[in-house]
Amino acid sequence: MEVHVRNLHEGATEKQTKQYFKPILARLNIHVFHCQKPRNKGFANITIPDRALAQKFLALHGQTKPGRDGFMLVKQKLFHHGKPVNCTRSNNAADDFILKSLERELKDKLLAGRRGLLTSSATKRQPLQRSFSGHLIAIGSLDYEGNDLVVVDYYRIGGACQMKFLRRSVLIEFTTRPSDPIRQVEISYNSIESLLVGTSAHPYVTFALAEAPRCFEKVAPVDDQVLQLFDRLALHSRKDNRNPPKRRRMTAIDATHQAIVGSCLCYSFRVEPGHIKIITSLQRLPGYPSVVPWRVGYATKLPFTQQMTQLNTALSAERYQEFSFTVKFQLQRLAQNGYLPPYKVLQLMQAMKGAFADADQLTLATALRRFSNQIPYAGPGVDPSDLSPATLLELLVEAHDHLLRENEYSVNLTQRHEHLADIHKITVTPAGVYLYGPEPEVKNRVLRQYSAFTSHFLQVTFSDEDGEPMRYDRRSSLEIIYAERFTNVLGGNLSICGRPYEFLGFSHSSLRAQTCWFMAPFIWNGELRFARAVIKDLGDFSAIRSPAKCAARIGQAFSQAFSSVNIPGECFRALPDVERLDANGIRRVFSDGVGTCSKSILEKIWAAYAQSRAWKPTLCQIRYAAMLSNEEFFQYLRPSRTGSKPIMPLASTMNRHLGLTYLDIWENGVCRPGSALVGRQMNNCVMKRALSGATLTTRNERRNACLLIINERINQAGLTVV
């Protein structure tokens, strides 16, 4: 008989668990038993060959009712590391191989006792085998039918397959049709949540994953004669084609699998009955996942695509209009990220209408986000009642109440700091689209301008399934991932809770992190605002012919700024550049991108930054209507000439990349100095601007004049030279 034990310490090993139960079972005259304790799991299965002795053990330590009340009825309670141990009869029948092995061990011990031997006979190990033939049965998700753990079959494919346990992953090879190329599904050991292995009578192997697997398609080799012909014609590089990729990365097995690959993370296979014991023995090897002996059934429900369609329709309909977008975002996240099946999310939404009718939407969204991390994954050791609609609602209410108690002492960062905004985030992988956030992010120019519509902006990251950036793989071609998968998303194929999102832009730093910004249309000043209109407000970029330069100028508006200084439009003036003729009569500009500002503006900059208490920046960088330049303090307009009126002259070279006049960009000017204190050497452009009003001939005169101007400005600012 097999006994299922729960609530053990997760860090206990199989050997430690066996040592814990050995004296307990010995008191009942049970000296031969088999203990299976998966790594980092809080349960174990104990197989006792004698049914009468197993029932005697359950009579003393067994629990007949679930929960705390059931544990109080146990005759002799067991505790493991201070935790109450729950012992029940397993729903699965004991493995025949394990029973025969225990019976043989019991006979050997009895025979050894009769002969006066102290050791039992040694058993031969099975030869190490890592490749197994089988059939791909079902792809879906783990769920419960009553008290039985089942695989809900959303995608089924027939035919033989080959399962290979490699050093870091499991590789499954198969073909959908005889004429199709070989397909591969690679499952990393780090992504396996549970590896469930059946018995010889039920020889199924089920992988419950935490992330989607990688799909590949083998590339047919090219005829060598053709390669030799191209080499002779020199139509391609011999070095680049010496070792072409042998497979190409795919988003899914086929179009049907594409609809569920990102959310349905359970893969089940049928193997030969004799391979079950060998697969179980592989867990002894370093780096291999632990095996859980468990019999899993199969069930069918409404197709997953129809469930997601019903959920998306409910999220975008007026029936649930009392929920804000932030709440709906978290509800879609539960289904799309694989926390709950879509039909259970719909049941939860219906129950939430009555339980949270008057709840604050921001608090409810935060509670949903915390609730998602508390949902147990369906699998061994989890009570089916923990995933019932009533229990899930109770867990959500508890998270909401706990959050209300915390809010009395906590402060919302976005409400406390004006430069922060809560931004929803999305990660696009080759297999799926996953929702995260919202998280506080530093505002950029676009978010500051549309601060009332931050929920309409998304930060989208493109990465691999494990969250790492997509990297070059010499063994695999990534053309389909970049040219089809990611390109389709950038083309506007992205919808969240009924809102269609389109590509907006990116900054230089976010481009290195493979991250960009998307936005959904919203009403602004009585008109519908699209991404194209937002870009148009940043400046006129029609005169720029280089795509890279245009993207760089637009990207300046998406650079993060911890603070900003607003300058009225009437403060800007046109400032002529410092130009001279060289020996060939060609006009040269010496004040490239360097302007000036009045002292009142500089004092306003000092007052806006906390660092100004100890340091007074005299050189700052501004972003203004997609212009990037340096504003220097040495040539500010004296109060005797300008009074207290703030003035910021802009040089024409600061506007050289834009086809604008100054009147077009004087509206809503923003000055954003950098807050970093960096020791730098002044360039010629700054010095030429500082000496633009002087006529100097020799190098010594120019050097002395520069030192006089610098000392004068430092003294006027009240600074100390160190």
Side-chain angles (χ1 to χ4, degrees):
M1 179 186 293
E2 186 176 84
V3 178
H4 183 61
V5 183
R6 293 191 300 173
N7 209 28
L8 296 172
H9 192 276
E10 295 182 354
T13 62
E14 184 175 293
K15 184 178 180 180
Q16 293 172 343
T17 306
K18 188 173 183 179
Q19 291 296 328
Y20 170 77
F21 280 101
K22 189 174 182 179
I24 298 174
L25 295 174
R27 290 196 294 265
L28 300 176
N29 200 22
I30 303 174
H31 301 283
V32 176
F33 64 96
H34 180 72
C35 179
Q36 290 178 316
K37 166 67 170 62
R39 288 193 294 265
N40 300 325
K41 298 293 182 180
F43 65 92
N45 292 323
I46 298 177
T47 305
I48 302 174
D50 194 328
R51 180 180 294 271
L53 293 178
Q55 292 177 351
K56 187 177 180 180
F57 170 80
L58 291 175
L60 289 177
H61 309 289
Q63 185 172 337
T64 57
K65 294 183 179 180
R68 184 180 301 176
D69 296 337
F71 181 75
M72 298 302 297
L73 300 176
V74 177
K75 293 182 179 180
Q76 293 184 9
K77 301 177 179 60
L78 300 178
F79 293 89
H80 185 252
H81 289 274
K83 300 172 63 176
V85 178
N86 303 326
C87 300
T88 58
R89 180 174 179 177
S90 176
N91 295 329
N92 301 326
D95 192 343
D96 293 338
F97 284 104
I98 296 177
L99 289 176
K100 291 179 180 178
S101 177
L102 293 176
E103 291 174 358
R104 178 60 183 270
E105 183 180 353
L106 183 60
K107 290 180 181 179
D108 292 341
K109 280 193 173 185
L110 293 175
L111 184 61
R114 292 173 184 174
R115 294 180 179 178
L117 300 178
L118 299 177
T119 59
S120 61
S121 60
T123 57
K124 295 182 179 180
R125 290 187 176 183
Q126 293 286 344
L128 185 61
Q129 180 182 352
R130 303 190 184 188
S131 181
F132 309 93
S133 59
H135 296 269
L136 182 62
I137 299 299
I139 300 175
S141 60
L142 289 177
D143 206 343
Y144 292 97
E145 279 198 348
N147 293 326
D148 297 330
L149 183 65
V150 297
V151 176
V152 181
D153 182 7
Y154 292 122
Y155 177 84
R156 182 177 291 269
I157 185 172
C161 68
Q162 195 73 17
M163 185 187 308
K164 300 177 181 179
F165 285 83
L166 305 179
R167 184 178 180 182
R168 294 184 179 90
S169 61
V170 181
L171 187 65
I172 297 100
E173 292 186 345
F174 59 93
T175 56
T176 54
R177 289 188 295 267
S179 58
D180 291 344
I182 297 177
R183 303 293 176 90
Q184 294 179 337
V185 175
E186 186 176 3
I187 300 174
S188 173
Y189 291 150
N190 295 330
S191 66
I192 297 178
E193 188 74 23
S194 300
L195 176 54
L196 310 180
V197 177
T199 62
S200 57
H202 191 79
Y204 292 92
V205 178
T206 303
F207 296 91
L209 309 180
E211 63 186 41
R214 294 171 173 83
C215 300
F216 299 91
E217 179 184 82
K218 278 194 172 182
V219 179
V222 184
D223 191 358
D224 293 339
Q225 295 180 358
V226 177
L227 286 176
Q228 293 176 5
L229 179 60
F230 280 130
D231 285 338
R232 293 174 183 175
L233 296 176
L235 295 181
H236 75 301
S237 173
R238 185 188 300 269
K239 181 179 178 180
D240 295 339
N241 291 271
R242 187 175 300 169
N243 295 313
K246 298 181 180 180
R247 59 181 185 176
R248 64 171 62 97
R249 181 80 177 268
M250 307 291 292
T251 58
I253 298 174
D254 53 24
T256 306
H257 185 228
Q258 176 64 52
I260 67 170
V261 62
S263 304
C264 300
L265 305 178
C266 184
Y267 290 73
S268 184
F269 305 88
R270 179 184 176 90
V271 297
E272 298 295 332
H275 292 165
I276 290 294
K277 189 175 182 180
I278 303 175
I279 295 175
T280 304
S281 64
L282 290 177
Q283 65 179 334
R284 298 196 301 264
L285 300 177
Y288 279 69
S290 59
V291 175
V292 180
W294 201 273
R295 180 171 179 174
V296 180
Y298 294 89
T300 57
K301 294 184 182 293
L302 188 68
F304 185 83
T305 53
Q306 296 185 20
Q307 294 185 30
M308 284 300 299
T309 302
Q310 293 178 359
L311 178 61
N312 293 331
T313 303
L315 291 174
S316 58
E318 298 181 355
R319 180 181 177 185
Y320 297 96
Q321 60 183 355
E322 64 270 15
F323 294 147
S324 64
F325 171 80
T326 307
V327 174
K328 293 181 179 180
F329 183 90
Q330 299 299 328
L331 290 171
Q332 183 170 344
R333 175 173 172 264
L334 292 177
Q336 198 153 324
N337 289 22
Y339 291 103
L340 290 174
Y343 78 91
K344 285 192 176 182
V345 179
L346 279 171
Q347 294 174 357
L348 183 63
M349 288 177 60
Q350 296 173 0
M352 287 173 56
K353 290 188 65 176
F356 301 97
D358 301 327
D360 179 68
Q361 295 298 297
L362 182 60
T363 305
L364 180 57
T366 308
L368 277 169
R369 184 179 178 184
R370 182 176 297 184
F371 159 76
S372 64
N373 297 325
Q374 299 173 352
I375 300 175
Y377 284 97
V382 177
D383 194 341
S385 61
D386 293 342
L387 291 171
S388 63
T391 306
L392 293 175
L393 181 62
E394 182 181 350
L395 189 63
L396 177 58
V397 171
E398 182 180 351
H400 183 266
D401 294 342
H402 185 69
L403 191 61
L404 289 177
R405 293 191 295 269
E406 286 184 357
N407 288 342
E408 298 179 1
Y409 307 98
S410 61
V411 179
N412 192 336
L413 291 178
T414 57
Q415 295 177 358
R416 183 176 182 179
H417 303 283
E418 294 182 356
H419 68 281
L420 296 179
D422 286 327
I423 301 299
H424 297 85
K425 298 183 178 182
I426 284 181
T427 299
V428 180
T429 68
V433 177
Y434 304 99
L435 284 60
Y436 301 97
E439 296 178 358
E441 288 288 335
V442 179
K443 290 182 180 179
N444 51 43
R445 177 184 169 187
V446 177
L447 293 178
R448 287 195 302 269
Q449 183 175 356
Y450 303 102
S451 58
F453 301 92
T454 54
S455 63
H456 289 73
F457 293 88
L458 287 179
Q459 195 177 58
V460 181
T461 302
F462 296 86
S463 67
D464 209 340
E465 304 301 335
D466 54 0
E468 295 294 325
M470 293 292 298
R471 304 187 186 278
Y472 169 75
D473 185 3
R474 62 181 180 84
R475 300 172 301 174
S476 306
S477 172
L478 303 177
E479 181 180 359
I480 294 179
I481 305 301
Y482 287 111
E484 296 183 9
R485 172 63 175 166
F486 291 168
T487 303
N488 290 339
V489 175
L490 291 171
N493 188 17
L494 189 61
S495 177
I496 305 296
C497 301
R499 286 185 181 179
Y501 285 85
E502 56 181 340
F503 174 77
L504 179 62
F506 53 84
S507 64
H508 182 69
S509 58
S510 65
L511 186 62
R512 293 196 299 268
Q514 300 181 1
T515 302
C516 59
W517 288 92
F518 277 58
M519 68 160 286
F522 54 88
I523 303 298
W524 173 260
N525 293 334
E527 63 179 8
L528 194 60
R529 207 70 165 176
F530 292 93
R532 188 178 296 273
V534 173
I535 296 298
K536 187 177 180 181
D537 287 346
L538 300 178
D540 184 8
F541 306 96
S542 59
I544 305 177
R545 299 304 177 188
S546 172
K549 186 176 293 184
C550 181
R553 294 298 165 186
I554 296 175
Q556 292 175 9
F558 296 96
S559 297
Q560 296 178 343
F562 288 92
S563 181
S564 63
V565 180
N566 294 323
I567 307 299
E570 61 269 12
C571 297
F572 294 91
R573 298 289 186 271
L575 179 67
D577 285 303
V578 179
E579 299 179 352
R580 293 179 184 176
L581 297 177
D582 62 4
N584 298 324
I586 301 176
R587 187 174 296 276
R588 303 292 184 182
V589 179
F590 293 91
S591 57
D592 187 10
V594 178
T596 64
C597 66
S598 64
K599 185 177 181 180
S600 59
I601 289 182
L602 195 59
E603 291 174 347
K604 191 175 182 180
I605 295 174
W606 290 344
Y609 283 82
Q611 289 182 350
S612 63
R613 299 172 184 173
W615 300 89
K616 305 290 185 181
T618 57
L619 187 68
C620 59
Q621 187 183 73
I622 70 167
R623 287 203 183 6
Y624 179 78
M627 297 195 310
L628 178 64
S629 64
N630 292 323
E631 289 295 327
E632 50 91 7
F633 161 65
F634 308 111
Q635 188 65 14
Y636 65 81
L637 301 180
R638 291 184 174 86
S640 59
R641 297 172 52 187
T642 62
S644 60
K645 183 178 180 181
I647 294 179
M648 178 175 284
L650 299 179
S652 59
T653 51
M654 298 167 61
N655 195 31
R656 67 186 184 278
H657 296 298
L658 302 176
L660 301 175
T661 63
Y662 283 103
L663 293 177
D664 295 329
I665 63 175
W666 278 358
E667 302 297 331
N668 300 324
V670 175
C671 176
R672 187 189 68 82
S675 59
L677 299 174
V678 182
R680 293 192 180 277
Q681 192 175 19
M682 289 189 298
N683 55 25
N684 286 333
C685 297
V686 176
M687 301 307 299
K688 294 291 185 180
R689 174 65 68 190
L691 301 175
S692 59
T695 303
L696 305 174
T697 55
T698 65
R699 178 178 301 177
N700 290 333
E701 291 178 351
R702 290 195 295 269
R703 183 188 63 182
N704 295 332
C706 290
L707 293 176
L708 289 175
I709 293 176
I710 293 173
N711 292 329
E712 179 186 356
R713 299 302 181 257
I714 290 176
N715 293 331
Q716 291 177 358
L719 304 178
T720 302
V721 180
V722 294

